[in-house]
Short mmCIF file of all heavy atoms in Angstrom, two decimals:
data_model
loop_
_atom_site.label_atom_id
_atom_site.label_comp_id
_atom_site.label_asym_id
_atom_site.label_seq_id
_atom_site.Cartn_x
_atom_site.Cartn_y
_atom_site.Cartn_z
N ILE A 81 59.39 56.59 132.79
CA ILE A 81 60.27 55.99 131.79
C ILE A 81 59.59 56.11 130.43
O ILE A 81 58.40 55.86 130.32
CB ILE A 81 60.56 54.53 132.13
CG1 ILE A 81 61.36 54.55 133.48
CG2 ILE A 81 61.38 53.88 131.02
CD1 ILE A 81 61.35 53.20 134.11
N ALA A 82 60.35 56.56 129.44
CA ALA A 82 59.71 56.75 128.13
C ALA A 82 60.63 56.24 127.03
O ALA A 82 61.82 56.13 127.20
CB ALA A 82 59.47 58.26 127.91
N GLY A 83 59.98 55.90 125.90
CA GLY A 83 60.71 55.46 124.69
C GLY A 83 61.64 54.32 124.98
O GLY A 83 61.34 53.41 125.75
N PRO A 84 62.82 54.36 124.43
CA PRO A 84 63.79 53.22 124.55
C PRO A 84 64.37 53.12 125.96
O PRO A 84 65.12 52.21 126.20
CB PRO A 84 64.87 53.58 123.53
CG PRO A 84 64.78 55.02 123.33
CD PRO A 84 63.31 55.41 123.52
N GLY A 85 64.07 54.10 126.86
CA GLY A 85 64.67 54.01 128.18
C GLY A 85 65.05 55.36 128.76
O GLY A 85 65.92 55.44 129.65
N PHE A 86 64.43 56.43 128.28
CA PHE A 86 64.68 57.73 128.86
C PHE A 86 64.03 57.78 130.24
O PHE A 86 62.98 57.20 130.44
CB PHE A 86 64.08 58.85 128.01
CG PHE A 86 64.85 59.14 126.77
CD1 PHE A 86 64.38 58.70 125.53
CD2 PHE A 86 66.06 59.82 126.82
CE1 PHE A 86 65.11 58.96 124.36
CE2 PHE A 86 66.80 60.11 125.70
CZ PHE A 86 66.31 59.63 124.45
N ILE A 87 64.72 58.48 131.20
CA ILE A 87 64.11 58.67 132.51
C ILE A 87 63.74 60.16 132.57
O ILE A 87 64.59 61.01 132.46
CB ILE A 87 65.09 58.30 133.61
CG1 ILE A 87 65.53 56.86 133.47
CG2 ILE A 87 64.47 58.51 134.98
CD1 ILE A 87 66.59 56.42 134.43
N ASN A 88 62.43 60.40 132.74
CA ASN A 88 61.99 61.79 132.74
C ASN A 88 61.57 62.27 134.13
O ASN A 88 60.87 61.53 134.84
CB ASN A 88 60.79 61.96 131.80
CG ASN A 88 61.16 61.63 130.37
OD1 ASN A 88 62.34 61.75 130.00
ND2 ASN A 88 60.19 61.20 129.57
N PHE A 89 62.01 63.43 134.46
CA PHE A 89 61.71 64.02 135.79
C PHE A 89 60.72 65.17 135.65
O PHE A 89 60.90 66.05 134.80
CB PHE A 89 63.01 64.58 136.41
CG PHE A 89 64.07 63.59 136.62
CD1 PHE A 89 65.00 63.30 135.65
CD2 PHE A 89 64.17 62.93 137.85
CE1 PHE A 89 66.01 62.36 135.85
CE2 PHE A 89 65.19 61.99 138.08
CZ PHE A 89 66.09 61.71 137.06
N TYR A 90 59.73 65.15 136.48
CA TYR A 90 58.72 66.25 136.54
C TYR A 90 58.91 66.95 137.86
O TYR A 90 58.72 66.35 138.91
CB TYR A 90 57.31 65.67 136.43
CG TYR A 90 57.01 65.00 135.10
CD1 TYR A 90 57.56 63.75 134.83
CD2 TYR A 90 56.19 65.60 134.17
CE1 TYR A 90 57.31 63.13 133.62
CE2 TYR A 90 55.92 64.97 132.98
CZ TYR A 90 56.46 63.73 132.67
OH TYR A 90 56.22 63.11 131.49
N LEU A 91 59.25 68.21 137.81
CA LEU A 91 59.47 68.99 139.07
C LEU A 91 58.12 69.24 139.72
O LEU A 91 57.09 69.46 139.06
CB LEU A 91 60.18 70.30 138.72
CG LEU A 91 61.57 70.14 138.18
CD1 LEU A 91 62.13 71.51 137.69
CD2 LEU A 91 62.51 69.53 139.19
N HIS A 92 58.15 69.23 141.02
CA HIS A 92 56.92 69.46 141.78
C HIS A 92 56.58 70.94 141.81
O HIS A 92 57.47 71.79 141.90
CB HIS A 92 57.12 68.92 143.25
CG HIS A 92 55.82 68.81 143.93
ND1 HIS A 92 55.18 69.92 144.51
CD2 HIS A 92 55.04 67.75 144.19
CE1 HIS A 92 54.06 69.52 145.09
NE2 HIS A 92 53.92 68.18 144.87
N LYS A 93 55.31 71.23 141.84
CA LYS A 93 54.87 72.64 141.75
C LYS A 93 55.37 73.45 142.95
O LYS A 93 55.69 74.63 142.83
CB LYS A 93 53.36 72.79 141.63
CG LYS A 93 52.50 72.23 142.75
CD LYS A 93 51.05 72.50 142.43
CE LYS A 93 50.08 72.14 143.55
NZ LYS A 93 50.12 70.71 143.97
N ASN A 94 55.53 72.84 144.10
CA ASN A 94 56.00 73.59 145.25
C ASN A 94 57.46 73.86 145.16
O ASN A 94 57.94 74.89 145.68
CB ASN A 94 55.64 72.85 146.54
CG ASN A 94 54.12 72.99 146.80
OD1 ASN A 94 53.55 74.04 146.58
ND2 ASN A 94 53.55 71.87 147.21
N TYR A 95 58.21 72.98 144.53
CA TYR A 95 59.61 73.25 144.25
C TYR A 95 59.71 74.41 143.29
O TYR A 95 60.48 75.36 143.50
CB TYR A 95 60.27 72.00 143.69
CG TYR A 95 61.73 72.15 143.27
CD1 TYR A 95 62.74 72.02 144.22
CD2 TYR A 95 62.09 72.47 141.98
CE1 TYR A 95 64.05 72.17 143.86
CE2 TYR A 95 63.38 72.61 141.62
CZ TYR A 95 64.39 72.47 142.57
OH TYR A 95 65.70 72.63 142.20
N LEU A 96 58.88 74.40 142.28
CA LEU A 96 58.90 75.46 141.28
C LEU A 96 58.50 76.81 141.91
O LEU A 96 59.04 77.84 141.58
CB LEU A 96 57.93 75.11 140.13
CG LEU A 96 58.38 73.93 139.26
CD1 LEU A 96 57.28 73.53 138.29
CD2 LEU A 96 59.68 74.26 138.49
N LEU A 97 57.53 76.77 142.78
CA LEU A 97 57.10 77.98 143.47
C LEU A 97 58.23 78.61 144.27
O LEU A 97 58.51 79.79 144.27
CB LEU A 97 55.94 77.69 144.43
CG LEU A 97 54.59 77.73 143.80
CD1 LEU A 97 53.55 77.17 144.77
CD2 LEU A 97 54.19 79.16 143.41
N LYS A 98 58.98 77.70 144.97
CA LYS A 98 60.05 78.20 145.82
C LYS A 98 61.11 78.90 144.95
O LYS A 98 61.64 79.92 145.29
CB LYS A 98 60.67 77.02 146.60
CG LYS A 98 60.67 77.29 148.10
CD LYS A 98 61.22 76.11 148.86
CE LYS A 98 60.16 75.07 149.17
NZ LYS A 98 60.67 73.72 149.40
N GLN A 99 61.45 78.25 143.83
CA GLN A 99 62.42 78.85 142.91
C GLN A 99 61.92 80.22 142.42
O GLN A 99 62.68 81.18 142.29
CB GLN A 99 62.63 78.00 141.66
CG GLN A 99 63.05 76.61 141.95
CD GLN A 99 64.54 76.52 141.80
OE1 GLN A 99 65.29 77.00 142.61
NE2 GLN A 99 64.94 75.96 140.71
N ALA A 100 60.60 80.27 142.10
CA ALA A 100 60.02 81.49 141.55
C ALA A 100 60.07 82.64 142.57
O ALA A 100 60.27 83.79 142.21
CB ALA A 100 58.60 81.25 141.11
N ILE A 101 59.93 82.29 143.86
CA ILE A 101 59.95 83.36 144.85
C ILE A 101 61.24 84.15 144.81
O ILE A 101 61.31 85.36 144.91
CB ILE A 101 59.73 82.74 146.27
CG1 ILE A 101 58.24 82.25 146.36
CG2 ILE A 101 60.02 83.73 147.36
CD1 ILE A 101 57.91 81.49 147.60
N ASP A 102 62.32 83.41 144.60
CA ASP A 102 63.66 84.06 144.45
C ASP A 102 63.69 85.23 143.50
O ASP A 102 64.39 86.21 143.69
CB ASP A 102 64.67 83.05 143.92
CG ASP A 102 65.34 82.27 145.04
OD1 ASP A 102 64.90 82.44 146.19
OD2 ASP A 102 66.23 81.47 144.74
N TYR A 103 62.98 85.03 142.38
CA TYR A 103 63.03 86.07 141.37
C TYR A 103 62.33 87.37 141.78
O TYR A 103 62.44 88.37 141.11
CB TYR A 103 62.35 85.56 140.03
CG TYR A 103 63.11 84.42 139.42
CD1 TYR A 103 62.48 83.32 138.94
CD2 TYR A 103 64.50 84.43 139.33
CE1 TYR A 103 63.18 82.27 138.34
CE2 TYR A 103 65.22 83.41 138.74
CZ TYR A 103 64.51 82.33 138.25
OH TYR A 103 65.21 81.30 137.69
N ASN A 104 61.58 87.28 142.85
CA ASN A 104 60.85 88.49 143.30
C ASN A 104 61.67 89.33 144.31
O ASN A 104 61.22 90.36 144.73
CB ASN A 104 59.55 88.10 143.90
CG ASN A 104 58.58 87.65 142.83
OD1 ASN A 104 58.01 88.50 142.15
ND2 ASN A 104 58.45 86.35 142.65
N PHE A 105 62.83 88.79 144.66
CA PHE A 105 63.63 89.53 145.64
C PHE A 105 64.97 89.84 145.00
O PHE A 105 65.83 88.93 144.83
CB PHE A 105 63.78 88.74 146.92
CG PHE A 105 62.47 88.57 147.64
CD1 PHE A 105 61.75 87.38 147.51
CD2 PHE A 105 61.93 89.61 148.42
CE1 PHE A 105 60.54 87.24 148.13
CE2 PHE A 105 60.73 89.46 149.05
CZ PHE A 105 59.99 88.29 148.90
N ASP A 106 65.14 91.07 144.66
CA ASP A 106 66.34 91.51 143.95
C ASP A 106 67.59 91.06 144.60
O ASP A 106 68.51 90.53 143.95
CB ASP A 106 66.31 92.99 143.86
CG ASP A 106 66.19 93.44 142.40
OD1 ASP A 106 65.75 92.63 141.62
OD2 ASP A 106 66.57 94.61 142.11
N LEU A 107 67.66 91.29 145.96
CA LEU A 107 68.87 91.02 146.62
C LEU A 107 69.26 89.54 146.58
O LEU A 107 70.40 89.18 146.25
CB LEU A 107 68.71 91.51 148.09
CG LEU A 107 70.03 91.84 148.79
CD1 LEU A 107 70.57 93.14 148.20
CD2 LEU A 107 69.81 92.00 150.29
N GLU A 108 68.28 88.69 146.95
CA GLU A 108 68.52 87.24 146.95
C GLU A 108 68.92 86.77 145.53
O GLU A 108 69.79 85.96 145.38
CB GLU A 108 67.24 86.50 147.37
CG GLU A 108 67.02 86.40 148.88
CD GLU A 108 66.43 87.70 149.44
OE1 GLU A 108 66.33 88.70 148.71
OE2 GLU A 108 66.05 87.64 150.61
N PHE A 109 68.18 87.26 144.57
CA PHE A 109 68.44 86.88 143.19
C PHE A 109 69.88 87.25 142.79
O PHE A 109 70.60 86.42 142.27
CB PHE A 109 67.43 87.52 142.27
CG PHE A 109 67.68 87.28 140.81
CD1 PHE A 109 67.54 85.99 140.33
CD2 PHE A 109 68.06 88.28 139.94
CE1 PHE A 109 67.77 85.72 138.98
CE2 PHE A 109 68.27 88.03 138.61
CZ PHE A 109 68.15 86.70 138.12
N HIS A 110 70.28 88.46 143.08
CA HIS A 110 71.59 88.90 142.71
C HIS A 110 72.70 88.11 143.43
O HIS A 110 73.70 87.76 142.87
CB HIS A 110 71.80 90.42 142.94
CG HIS A 110 71.23 91.23 141.85
ND1 HIS A 110 69.95 91.66 141.82
CD2 HIS A 110 71.79 91.68 140.68
CE1 HIS A 110 69.70 92.32 140.67
NE2 HIS A 110 70.83 92.32 140.00
#
Side-chain angles (χ1 to χ4, degrees):
I81 294 164
F86 285 106
I87 303 175
N88 297 335
F89 299 87
Y90 296 73
L91 297 171
H92 195 280
K93 63 178 186 301
N94 288 319
Y95 176 84
L96 293 171
L97 274 170
K98 236 178 272 156
Q99 302 262 74
I101 289 172
D102 272 5
Y103 295 137
N104 288 281
F105 296 97
D106 244 21
L107 205 71
E108 278 82 350
F109 176 66
H110 278 90

